[in-house]
Amino acid sequence: MKNLVFINGTMGVGKTTTGKELQKILPNCVFLDGDWCWDMSPFIVTDETKKMVIDNISYLLNNFILCSEYENIIFCWVMHEQNILDDVLSRLNKNDCKLYKFSIVCSEQSLIARITKDINQGIRKKDVIERSVSRLKKYSEMDTEKIDVSEISAKNTAEIIYRHIIQQP
């Protein structure tokens, strides 16, 4: 039985860093960031590009599931609406997988501080703050386990997820 770990959260909350930390502690593990599946310039969001990114993600995740070398598959992406998460899941061959779904959330103040740090390092642009903050509340409505990261590091978040996985039968 493989572990399929979905991590969502708004932009700048720490999904990618958490996923990379979790990858370090789970054995036989592969990590996919959904953003890598449409890293384009210019960044264009249309029905066509949205369909393409879901197809890319589904293809990669299904191949990871089929590969006998991996027992742990981590996927992170914004997925700010339940229908996006459900769409990705509906395309996967999950028969031999134990599914874990986590939403990483934090206070608005913590989110702004995290994004501001990224802006100062040249990782993000200032317009991300408003878009990210506006999506923050959407995660409380989703069918996921919530982890508040306002006061903890990505490494601590990964350890919380790890404990959930190893404690399951």
Side-chain angles (χ1 to χ4, degrees):
M1 180 74 67
K2 294 182 183 230
N3 294 312
L4 181 58
V5 182
F6 273 48
I7 302 170
N8 70 355
T10 195
M11 297 164 285
V13 76
K15 298 174 303 296
T16 300
T17 308
T18 296
K20 288 179 178 180
E21 289 292 332
L22 185 59
Q23 184 183 28
K24 292 176 187 176
I25 57 178
L26 283 174
N28 303 321
C29 188
V30 63
F31 170 60
L32 175 65
D33 186 325
D35 288 347
W36 300 340
C37 295
W38 67 347
D39 186 357
M40 61 181 120
S41 181
F43 185 71
I44 301 167
V45 180
T46 64
D47 287 342
E48 180 182 12
T49 60
K50 286 189 229 178
K51 179 187 179 310
M52 176 204 62
V53 73
I54 298 290
D55 288 346
N56 288 345
I57 289 166
S58 303
Y59 177 82
L60 287 169
L61 289 175
N62 275 318
N63 277 338
F64 294 151
I65 291 168
L66 286 172
C67 183
S68 65
E69 296 297 326
Y70 304 119
E71 67 182 79
N72 293 288
I73 302 159
I74 304 165
F75 171 61
C76 76
W77 199 29
V78 171
M79 296 182 284
H80 62 289
E81 296 173 352
Q82 187 68 45
N83 66 321
I84 298 169
L85 184 122
D86 292 344
D87 187 16
V88 173
L89 286 171
S90 73
R91 297 165 183 247
L92 301 182
N93 178 5
K94 304 178 299 293
N95 294 340
D96 293 323
C97 295
K98 172 73 175 150
L99 177 63
Y100 299 88
K101 299 177 291 183
F102 298 95
S103 290
I104 297 179
V105 297
C106 67
S107 68
E108 185 174 324
Q109 178 182 348
S110 176
L111 181 62
I112 292 169
R114 288 167 186 250
I115 295 172
T116 300
K117 181 180 173 188
D118 288 351
I119 292 167
N120 293 338
Q121 293 177 345
I123 298 170
R124 298 184 191 276
K125 293 188 173 20
K126 191 170 186 159
D127 69 321
V128 170
I129 292 175
E130 184 180 325
R131 289 186 292 131
S132 187
V133 168
S134 71
R135 291 181 176 172
L136 192 56
K137 290 182 175 66
K138 292 184 176 214
Y139 295 94
S140 65
E141 303 164 6
M142 297 190 70
D143 178 25
T144 57
E145 176 128 2
K146 313 308 182 273
I147 302 174
D148 188 331
V149 299
S150 299
E151 303 291 329
I152 63 173
S153 69
K155 184 174 183 177
N156 293 137
T157 307
E159 290 167 353
I160 290 168
I161 294 171
Y162 176 79
R163 285 193 299 272
H164 271 55
I165 294 167
I166 62 166
Q167 290 176 359
Q168 295 298 316

